[in-house]
Amino acid sequence: MESLLSIAVGILFATGIYMMLRRNLIKFIFGFMLMGNGINLLIFTVGRLTRGTAPIVPEELEYLDGSVIQDFANPLPQALILTAIVIGFGFVAFSLVLLYRTYTVEKSLDTDMLQESVLPEVTP
Amino acid sequence: MSLGWTVLSGFILAAIAPFIHKFTKNATGWLLSLLPLGIAFYLFTTYFAPVTSGETFVATIPWFADLGANLTFYLDGLSLMFALLISVFGFFIIIYAGGYLKGDPHLGRFYLYLIMFMASMLGVVLASNLIGLFIFWELTSISSFFLIGYKYKYLSARKAAQQALLITGLGGLALLAGFILIGLGTGTFELTEILQNPEALKTLPAFPAILIFLILGAFTKSAQWPFHVWLPNAMEAPTPVSAYLHSATMVKAGIYLLARFSPLMEGVAAWQITLTSIGAITALMAAILALKASDLKQILAYSTLIALGTLTLLIGSGTEAAFKAAMVFLLAHSLYKGALFMAAGAIDHEAGTRDIRELGGLIGKMPITFFAVLLAGISMAGLPPAFGFIGKELSYKALLYGENIFVLAALLTNMGLFAASIVVIAKPFFGKFKAAKDKVHEAPLSLFFGPVVLATSSIVFGFFPGFLDKLMTAAQKSLLGVQHAGKDVHLHLFPETFSDPAFILSMITFAVGAVIFLLWRPVFNGLNAIAPRLDIGPARWYLWALEDLERFAKWQTRRIQTGNLRNDIRYSFIFTFALVAYALYRSKLSFTVDFSGLMIYDFIVFFLMLGGAFAAVRANTRLSAITALGAVGFSVALVFIVYAAPDLAITQFMIETLVVIIIALVIVRLPSFHLHERANVGGRWRDAIIAGVAGLCITLTMLVVLQQPLNTNLSEYFAAESVPHGKGHNIVNVILVDFRGVDTMGEISVLAIAAMGVYALLKFGRKEPEDELDLADKSGDELGEKLGEK
Amino acid sequence: MILNSIILQTATRILIALLLLLSIWLMIRGHNLPGGGFIGGLVGACACALYTISYGVKKAREALRLEPRIMIGLGLTLAFLSGLISLFLGDPFLTGQWIKIYIFGTLVKIGSPMFFDIGVYFVVIGVTLAMIFALEELEFDYQPSSEADK
């Protein structure tokens, strides 16, 4: 499954980057969300996949030792991804509101139009 | 240990100085000056006797003890002399600043910078660890940047501060490079260890580079030609700063560095030639420029350059006598120059100008200040019986042993210095009364206290040099290499014989100097007339370099950062993935693709994700795009479920729901996808190729990485410790709230900031930024008038 | 955005209590089973969002009684304070401290990480609601109605 997910992550990156390069800023955010999902999956996959048990120490055990640890999923990437998901949400929400704010001021979400209206002329 | 606290206490006091100032108002200067006084007292009582009898001290404050990085301090004759100089001057300057900047709204901040500077300076001269020395060195640059740019509303002050920071910062970088090379080469960063084994340093293959870097660092700091340009410009700073940084302390940091490494450079021809020649050039050039200036502070600045050049010349000469002369001259210079700067500030403060052409006859109005200027000026002119005379005699004597050309340089320099000294004494005080203000009073106690004490001691030490002789000798010992015999050079006020060649040189100096003084007006006008035509020196180079740098920065910014978001992102991705591709190429691309053990639902999830991703790209409406994104998000959640990550799955589900709500709320207020989409097929294909290559790079990277064995140390640690230490069975949660709690703390803070951002964006209107800076160029004179240099 | 739907409002009235209970339950059991402050907070936020959509912000604010921004502050403070406990006991910041007490003969372990998790829970709810409320309260000051698509 690692190989299959590697391909999936590559595709999520490609589609995400393609959307980020479009002129509409909403598409930029959508592209970012695609890429964000890809990044989370990337961390998850390189932490190795297990169909076994969630990283929860069984009630009767005091700890997971070398003999049983192979049956459990790797907890570290999961902790990293959990925070990444939540932070990603904060980022998306903030960017969307920023877009809205930009739109009320600039009346446009077209990157090419925004460049012309926002930046002062650069004299050589 | 307590040696370290003499340095660190300054930083602590600096941090609280603005708060103290809020309560103590006008008394702050007197109060804060107690710390440097205490440090000086402590150093004197505890260390003076043992150090002058040859002992050295080392103190350590553990810092990152596990990494072997500690704050170590080292005290020998040289550092004791500098530390005493810094703390004693700090005492006078802080009192002076309290009077000089009385009522200034930012005075609290000024104290902060000033005391921080003092502490950093103590750190420079006491640090034993080279990295520590570098950090303190940079701190002096930074605090001096703030001090020079204290009147930041004036363009000239900002430019001067920037120039000083750029030049000394450049030297600081060179110094760091030199220190790192020393550390890597000799295996230690401790000065104490490096000093014990000069041969280990000299035989390093990188020694020439070390030499260049050290000299660069010292020369930029001590304003040697061609880096001297920042020093006269730094006179933009309020006078207490000029008196402290640009006479007694900071510019001497470079001299300290040269002196500190002097024993290691014994017999190194390149070192001696560079120091002597550049020192002589600096001194000569400054002697001429001193006669060209009419601003009291400028004259003093150039005479400081003379002193710095002479000191470099003496240290480069490398004889016992020259070292001794350097130490005596250094102390003499600090005493008279500090007094003169402070007195010049007092004159400016009371008479309203510092231009000697507009001053005259102040002797009746400001007798105490005159007294200070007279005594200090005598010392600066090198007249007996002042301490400066002893210094000058010693330097003549020392140079007479060596090349005659340097004697000649010193002779010419001293003539200029003599003339400049008499100008400083005579012009403001004698003749017809002239001032920018009608009523001129004597300066208050806080303004003449320092100058009078320092100027008087210039004379007292001239009569009784024996008291300081022990300290000077101890300091000189720190400069000696193994070859030196350690011959004692004693201080005398009067020469043994009047046919002494040094004494004859002094007489010539006085005679020619007096002539120059009498011809001051024509010399001044003549120099100023030809100066514009000779404007091709380092000051111009600096401007050229700065302009070209700016032009280059603008050019490449325009090229790479066009301001168009798409272009910027495109460049970022191209560069990033070019690096990734290079790394992949280096890794030989060995990987295997393994599709065994896949279940049917793996494929379902995979195609769901793929379908969602492509549908999002192809979507024509926002609603369909959101739906497609939702499909991707939920299929990722399915992956989490299948591969044993229930926490992640729940989180992902919830987030998907919330994202849809937020998007729905925002997007109804935004335009549709089809706004101005022009048909640009070529651009789309280019972006598709960039995106495709990026995706391919990621996939290949993952496949290569998956071939590497997984390091599970951390995971195993967490799995083993979760229940015994974290008291929880859910390892993921225990990592979040316990093992990596600080990370989570940071994360929720970020979330809170994001929410505040959203709130602020939606609730508050935009505000026009107010630019209170005065962007017009103002000269130093206007600056003085504007603020009355309060 | 208020969907004035009787069905939704009725369903919400029943669901809201269940969802909030679920969120608290997820948060508390998180230390030993899937769940925790983040997940509980997200479920709670979803519940409140549902309420907001069915009844409007005004009602939601009344029901909540607490400004979301204040909730964020409370959460952050709680999390921070839970970390301070260990400082007083001589351990580094945020080291977990536990005590065991018996309630009706049952062993209950109480530790600073639990309070930390509660802090996280409040921050997550507060952040989400602050965003949603602010967006809901927006006036349609610039409505691109002509360009809006379906």
Side-chain angles (χ1 to χ4, degrees), chain B residues 559-734:
Chain B
R559 203 72 205 86
I560 298 172
Q561 297 187 321
T562 53
N564 183 322
L565 182 70
R566 291 207 293 163
N567 278 336
D568 296 359
I569 300 175
R570 203 176 284 131
Y571 276 117
S572 306
F573 279 133
I574 289 174
F575 278 112
T576 311
F577 284 102
L579 287 176
V580 173
Y582 176 71
L584 274 177
Y585 167 76
R586 288 288 300 271
S587 76
K588 306 279 188 303
L589 272 182
S590 61
F591 61 86
T592 51
V593 180
D594 173 21
F595 289 121
S596 63
L598 286 179
M599 311 253 183
I600 183 74
Y601 51 78
D602 288 333
F603 286 104
I604 295 174
V605 169
F606 176 73
F607 285 112
L608 187 61
M609 202 185 294
L610 245 57
F614 283 112
V617 173
R618 301 287 305 160
N620 284 324
T621 61
R622 297 169 305 182
L623 201 60
S624 51
I626 297 171
T627 318
L629 281 177
V632 175
F634 283 116
S635 47
V636 171
L638 288 177
V639 173
F640 292 148
I641 292 184
V642 173
Y643 291 97
D647 289 289
L648 292 188
I650 306 174
T651 313
Q652 179 82 17
F653 277 125
M654 289 298 126
I655 289 289
E656 283 305 320
T657 313
L658 287 170
V659 164
V660 167
I661 294 175
I662 299 261
I663 290 182
L665 284 171
V666 176
I667 218 151
V668 289
R669 298 174 167 88
L670 294 178
S672 74
F673 272 1
H674 289 290
L675 266 185
H676 330 268
E677 203 70 61
R678 279 175 236 147
N680 181 358
V681 181
R684 282 191 196 176
W685 274 108
R686 177 193 53 197
D687 292 343
I689 290 168
I690 294 173
V693 171
L696 187 67
C697 282
I698 288 291
T699 300
L700 291 176
T701 311
M702 285 179 71
L703 289 173
V704 171
V705 169
L706 284 168
Q707 292 301 306
Q708 308 294 320
L710 182 70
N711 182 335
T712 54
N713 282 354
L714 267 179
S715 305
E716 276 168 17
Y717 169 81
F718 290 140
E721 296 295 323
S722 181
V723 177
H725 266 108
K727 309 273 191 281
H729 288 264
N730 181 354
I731 304 172
V732 175
N733 187 264
V734 175

Side-chain angles (χ1 to χ4, degrees), chain A:
Chain A
M1 186 60 185
E2 276 97 342
S3 303
L4 195 64
L5 273 184
S6 302
I7 296 168
V9 170
I11 289 167
L12 286 180
F13 263 80
T15 48
I17 289 175
Y18 181 78
M19 283 195 88
M20 287 171 87
L21 293 175
R22 306 273 49 80
R23 281 174 64 194
N24 193 316
L25 277 173
I26 305 174
K27 287 198 178 178
F28 172 88
I29 304 226
F30 287 177
F32 179 86
M33 288 166 67
L34 277 177
M35 200 169 86
N37 273 323
I39 292 170
N40 290 342
L41 268 190
L42 186 152
I43 301 173
F44 193 59
T45 311
V46 296
R48 301 301 191 271
L49 304 175
T50 321
R51 275 182 221 268
T53 321
I56 293 169
V57 185
E59 199 66 36
E60 65 278 7
L61 285 183
E62 267 297 290
Y63 54 89
L64 299 180
D65 59 17
S67 57
V68 292
I69 199 160
Q70 299 303 328
D71 305 334
F72 289 86
N74 188 351
L76 186 60
Q78 294 198 15
L80 296 178
I81 296 168
L82 204 150
T83 53
I85 294 173
V86 182
I87 286 282
F89 164 71
F91 177 87
V92 167
F94 182 78
S95 322
L96 278 169
V97 173
L98 197 61
L99 271 199
Y100 163 74
R101 206 48 218 182
T102 312
Y103 187 60
T104 55
V105 176
E106 298 289 338
K107 312 281 184 276
S108 168
L109 285 181
D110 181 342
T111 54
D112 292 2
M113 302 287 283
L114 286 175
Q115 180 196 12
E116 282 152 17
S117 60
V118 173
L119 281 181
E121 277 299 305
V122 185
T123 46

Side-chain angles (χ1 to χ4, degrees), chain B residues 162-288:
Chain B
Q162 185 199 34
Q163 189 181 36
L165 185 71
L166 283 179
I167 293 181
T168 53
L170 196 73
L173 283 182
L175 196 67
L176 179 64
F179 284 172
I180 289 176
L181 285 176
I182 293 176
L184 292 180
T186 60
T188 174
F189 281 105
E190 293 298 321
L191 257 178
T192 42
E193 291 170 30
I194 296 163
L195 286 171
Q196 274 164 8
N197 195 352
E199 286 312 308
L201 183 69
K202 275 188 223 171
T203 49
L204 286 181
F207 182 66
I210 293 174
L211 198 66
I212 292 171
F213 285 139
L214 286 182
I215 288 180
L216 263 180
F219 278 14
T220 48
K221 200 78 163 182
S222 281
Q224 298 293 308
W225 184 91
F227 306 110
H228 65 275
V229 284
W230 68 265
L231 183 58
N233 290 339
M235 294 302 127
E236 285 293 338
T239 302
V241 178
S242 311
Y244 196 33
L245 275 68
H246 306 128
S247 69
T249 56
M250 189 175 87
V251 289
K252 301 268 168 70
I255 301 297
Y256 168 79
L257 193 78
L258 295 176
R260 181 49 88 207
F261 280 90
S262 173
L264 297 170
M265 300 298 172
E266 188 188 19
V268 178
W271 169 270
Q272 295 187 342
I273 292 169
T274 316
L275 259 58
T276 46
S277 54
I278 296 288
I281 291 174
T282 308
L284 259 179
M285 174 208 66
I288 297 167

